[in-house]
Amino acid sequence: MSDYLNKILSEVKAKNPAEPEFHQAVQEVAESLEVVLERHPEYRSAKILERMVEPERVIMFRVPWMDDQGEIHVNRGFRIEMNSAIGPYKGGLRFHPSVNLGILKFLAFEQVFKNSLTTLPMGGGKGGSDFDPKGKSDNEVMRFCQSFMSELYRHIGADTDVPAGDIGVGAREIGFLFGQYKKLKNEFTGVLTGKGLNWGGSLIRPEATGFGAVYFAQEMLKTRGQDVEGKTFAVSGFGNVAWGAVIKINQLGGKVVTLSGPDGFIYDPDGVKGEKVDYMLKLRSSAKDAVKDYADEFKVEFFPGKRPWGVKVDVAMPCATQNELDEKDAKTLVDNGCVCVCEGANMPTTLEGYRVFENAKILYSPGKASNAGGVATSGLEMSQNSMRLPWAADEVDNRLHEIMKRIHETCVVTAERFGSPGNYVVGANVAGFLKVADAMLDQGLV
Ligand code: NDP
Ligand code: 2IT
């Protein structure tokens, strides 16, 4: 990296200590921007990157709530409003005990580039809480969501900041959050996405991230004359994203042989299909955080404490969480003949893992490109809410498919234009950056 970029990275590290995931996300983007900043000194003199690594606004708040036994708990709530150059802040809410400021800043930073790639007018944000939904009753989750929204409501709005789901936040939580927002504001607007179908939600939104990621993998494989049909896939996670990916892989004739959870992974050589896909929904709603039940139910092998990357497959789709695939895993995948790694989660591969894929020249897409279908469909939900007209499932799915093809094309063309043909990381970072940077230049020093 140039001295200029190294200086920015050092300053980010000094100013934001103890936020390793944020440093990692900034470093990955900075490495991609070398050529852009050489060719475009106007971005340097306007200090665009220096401005982009500083959130426009960070909101942190107390979330007190009472459990079913009458005991009081206090969690911490966050919303990072990272960049609004191209639209209202947009991005999910994560409820997981690992949530802290640095993790949400990395996610908000990634979201800015991802949303820019979708072609829709959305800025970037992320939020959440260190609340652990594991083992909580519906009533406890409701009281928590109501308390969380009692503060968040004053900072968001359909034209200001539009949160959605992420890890630990699905249809149930969005419902409770929306109910409380409506009550406090006395307004029925598209302030959240991922809503229920009867009250403003979009068809295909639950499936969209996984569907979009598989459409992206299909486009990547096409560049090498290959297809999803007949390929075996290792998928990690068993949540919303993994579920959507498994459905679409099956529809396109591929076979998924693994799923994983914090407890380990399952290997199902016959493929996760049919009733087994529906069982994934049961696993999630059991709130047990374990994938082992799948192995017990369908009599397949379970590997406790292990990740699925040692299984010989054609395509790997990490769909669980950040840094779940490291250098050693990457080498194993490459040695086993894996031809494509398509990220469904946000930053699931470490920087060292990415370098292994880069050197091996296998197809590798960063989450900000390949998982953008979720937020893109959130953007389509916002459009439907503004029009007060719902679209049919086919219409949403076709638009999602077109958007993913366009993101793929943009990554390929941009990577080539900036001297890194075939590198989807460079393509995604540079294309995402250019649109936001130009909007920031247009709008002056704000
Ligand atoms: P879910 O809560 O539905 O599922 C998350 C999965 O990852 C679960 O299997 C979960 O297990 C596992 N997981 C979470 N944290 C950890 C951890 N620290 N260690 C091991 N496993 C973990 O979330 P989603 O499917 O929505 O999200 C998965 C990934 O996709 C995340 O990276 C998210 O940011 C990303 N994403 C989500 C989008 C969406 O629309 N939902 C859009 C784009 C990206 P458990 O909860 O049991 O720990
Ligand atoms: O990481 C993501 O893109 C999401 N969790 C979805 C965000 C959204 O606003 O739909």
Side-chain angles (χ1 to χ4, degrees):
M1 272 203 306
S2 67
D3 288 350
Y4 167 68
L5 286 167
N6 267 318
K7 185 160 167 275
I8 294 183
L9 189 59
S10 311
E11 281 171 8
V12 165
K13 288 181 179 169
K15 229 175 165 178
N16 306 277
E19 295 180 7
E21 294 85 2
F22 182 49
H23 306 164
Q24 181 183 342
V26 172
Q27 180 171 344
E28 189 226 79
V29 168
E31 284 177 3
S32 298
L33 294 182
E34 186 108 46
V35 182
V36 183
L37 294 168
E38 260 167 40
R39 288 192 200 168
H40 294 275
E42 67 273 24
Y43 298 137
R44 276 181 69 155
S45 53
K47 302 256 161 85
I48 295 293
L49 187 58
E50 291 88 332
R51 283 152 65 186
M52 283 176 74
V53 296
E54 194 62 34
E56 288 180 16
R57 193 177 297 107
V58 173
I59 301 147
M60 267 174 74
F61 50 99
R62 177 170 72 200
V63 190
W65 59 280
M66 192 177 276
D67 69 20
D68 290 343
Q69 284 69 46
E71 191 180 332
I72 291 170
H73 300 263
V74 182
N75 284 97
R76 186 170 279 180
F78 304 86
R79 185 72 183 165
I80 317 294
E81 297 184 334
M82 200 74 188
N83 194 302
S84 62
I86 62 167
Y89 309 106
K90 180 84 195 87
L93 296 172
R94 178 177 290 192
F95 293 169
H96 196 273
S98 63
V99 162
N100 58 38
L101 186 60
I103 287 190
L104 294 180
K105 272 161 71 178
F106 118 63
L107 288 163
F109 186 72
E110 293 278 292
Q111 199 81 42
V112 173
F113 296 84
K114 181 194 310 195
N115 293 6
S116 166
L117 287 170
T118 63
T119 70
L120 301 173
M122 300 182 290
K126 199 87 186 190
S129 174
D130 56 1
F131 173 72
D132 187 359
K134 187 172 161 183
K136 302 289 187 299
S137 71
D138 284 352
N139 279 331
E140 287 172 331
V141 170
M142 180 178 73
R143 286 195 292 274
F144 174 81
C145 288
Q146 289 175 341
S147 179
F148 185 85
M149 188 52 88
S150 298
E151 174 57 36
L152 188 68
Y153 86 98
R154 59 185 107 246
H155 308 287
I156 61 176
D159 294 316
T160 309
D161 183 352
V162 184
D166 193 80
I167 291 178
V169 177
R172 174 183 62 167
E173 291 73 21
I174 294 292
F176 295 146
L177 292 163
F178 185 81
Q180 185 73 355
Y181 180 87
K182 184 163 61 74
K183 179 166 177 153
L184 292 169
K185 290 281 255 220
N186 194 24
E187 260 179 24
F188 196 112
T189 62
V191 64
L192 293 162
T193 58
K195 298 185 290 299
L197 286 181
N198 292 330
W199 43 279
S202 175
L203 286 160
I204 305 293
R205 176 62 189 90
E207 297 89 342
T209 311
F211 277 23
V214 178
Y215 291 145
F216 199 93
Q218 193 179 30
E219 293 303 306
M220 286 202 290
L221 288 166
K222 264 193 214 162
T223 66
R224 306 229 169 142
Q226 301 188 39
D227 197 8
V228 171
E229 193 170 359
K231 295 260 180 318
T232 51
F233 284 70
V235 171
S236 66
F238 60 90
N240 173 265
V241 178
W243 169 75
V246 170
I247 295 174
K248 188 51 75 179
I249 292 165
N250 278 310
Q251 280 176 10
L252 296 179
K255 182 161 88 169
V256 178
V257 294
T258 70
L259 296 174
S260 76
D263 55 332
F265 80 92
I266 61 98
Y267 174 60
D268 187 344
D270 291 336
V272 181
K273 57 186 178 198
E275 55 162 342
K276 296 171 178 174
V277 183
D278 301 332
Y279 188 76
M280 289 175 75
L281 294 175
K282 270 196 211 151
L283 273 184
R284 278 286 341 110
S285 60
S286 75
K288 274 169 62 185
D289 271 4
V291 79
K292 182 176 178 295
D293 289 2
Y294 181 104
D296 297 339
E297 179 80 12
F298 300 111
K299 309 279 174 283
V300 299
E301 259 182 296
F302 173 66
F303 296 84
K306 293 253 173 2
R307 296 158 164 175
W309 313 127
V311 175
K312 188 171 161 45
V313 289
D314 302 308
V315 183
M317 292 192 65
C319 294
T321 194
Q322 63 274 356
N323 292 330
E324 54 161 320
L325 197 164
D326 62 17
E327 185 177 11
K328 197 165 149 269
D329 298 322
K331 281 186 181 145
T332 309
L333 281 167
V334 170
D335 289 346
N336 280 341
C338 173
V339 293
C340 174
V341 177
C342 176
E343 295 187 345
N346 285 309
M347 209 171 73
T349 307
T350 62
L351 274 174
E352 296 73 24
Y354 156 46
R355 295 202 210 296
V356 172
F357 297 142
E358 194 184 17
N359 291 334
K361 298 215 176 315
I362 68 162
L363 297 164
Y364 166 68
S365 68
K368 63 171 81 73
S370 42
N371 74 31
V375 73
T377 307
S378 280
L380 300 178
E381 182 170 328
M382 290 165 73
S383 304
Q384 295 169 77
N385 292 163
S386 299
M387 291 190 302
R388 297 184 194 277
L389 272 182
W391 288 329
D394 270 7
E395 167 132 29
V396 181
D397 194 19
N398 289 339
R399 284 178 188 265
L400 167 65
H401 200 164
E402 282 311 309
I403 287 172
M404 296 315 297
K405 282 194 204 163
R406 227 174 306 156
I407 296 174
H408 178 269
E409 176 72 13
T410 301
C411 289
V412 169
V413 169
T414 310
E416 220 167 278
R417 200 173 124 212
F418 287 90
S420 298
N423 187 323
Y424 289 87
V425 174
V426 171
N429 287 336
V430 173
F433 172 82
L434 288 174
K435 184 173 169 189
V436 176
D438 288 340
M440 289 173 75
L441 285 181
D442 290 345
Q443 292 169 24
L445 191 53
V446 288

